[in-house]
Amino acid sequence: LRDGTKGEINFKADNKIALRKGKVDKSESNLLQGLDIDESLGLDQVDEQIREYLGKRMARVIDLFREWDDDNSHSIEKKEFRKAMKALGLNVTKEQLDSVFDMWDTDRSGAIGINEMEKLLRAGSKIQLNASLRDGAKGEINF
């Protein structure tokens, strides 16, 4: 509309998800409900099982991260990680859980940040380019 012309502009919000202020009650939330981690596949396969399940449920890694971050510190400490893994049915010793945590804590900060979790759990994160196609490789790419 131009200045001086008649008419009106109507805005209507059709949010399917309510925006909220304050803390979120996570007590009833579980994005991975129904997933039971199979320890027999090896502890190095825990991330693969979670990644696959997230993909099937079309869930976002950021939402899982927020669910596991009980204290809203924007990182997942060992205590939060142990709680989340036990909720997924991972029945291993505390030392084994700490070992899995250490695999996920790639920067060795003592907490898992969103970037670490995204790299680990995002679909396609395990795809590796052929060595000849990586940065710095010799050769030409023809289109």
Side-chain angles (χ1 to χ4, degrees), residues 11-78:
F11 292 98
K12 181 180 177 189
D14 289 330
N15 294 350
K16 293 184 180 187
I17 299 173
L19 302 176
R20 43 182 120 52
K21 291 183 178 181
K23 288 188 102 176
V24 176
D25 180 12
K26 300 177 187 178
S27 62
E28 300 298 318
S29 177
N30 188 354
L31 287 172
L32 299 179
Q33 186 174 4
L35 172 62
D36 187 13
I37 298 291
D38 185 357
E39 303 89 19
S40 69
L41 297 176
L43 295 178
D44 59 333
Q45 295 295 310
V46 171
D47 60 325
E48 185 68 36
Q49 292 179 63
I50 294 173
R51 183 182 317 107
E52 186 178 314
Y53 199 77
L54 283 172
K56 286 180 184 175
R57 303 257 332 240
M58 293 192 283
R60 300 181 315 165
V61 174
I62 185 70
D63 295 328
L64 181 63
F65 182 85
R66 290 176 180 152
E67 185 175 292
W68 288 4
D69 182 19
D70 288 335
D71 61 2
N72 296 315
S73 64
H74 306 291
S75 63
I76 299 170
E77 290 80 26
K78 277 189 182 183

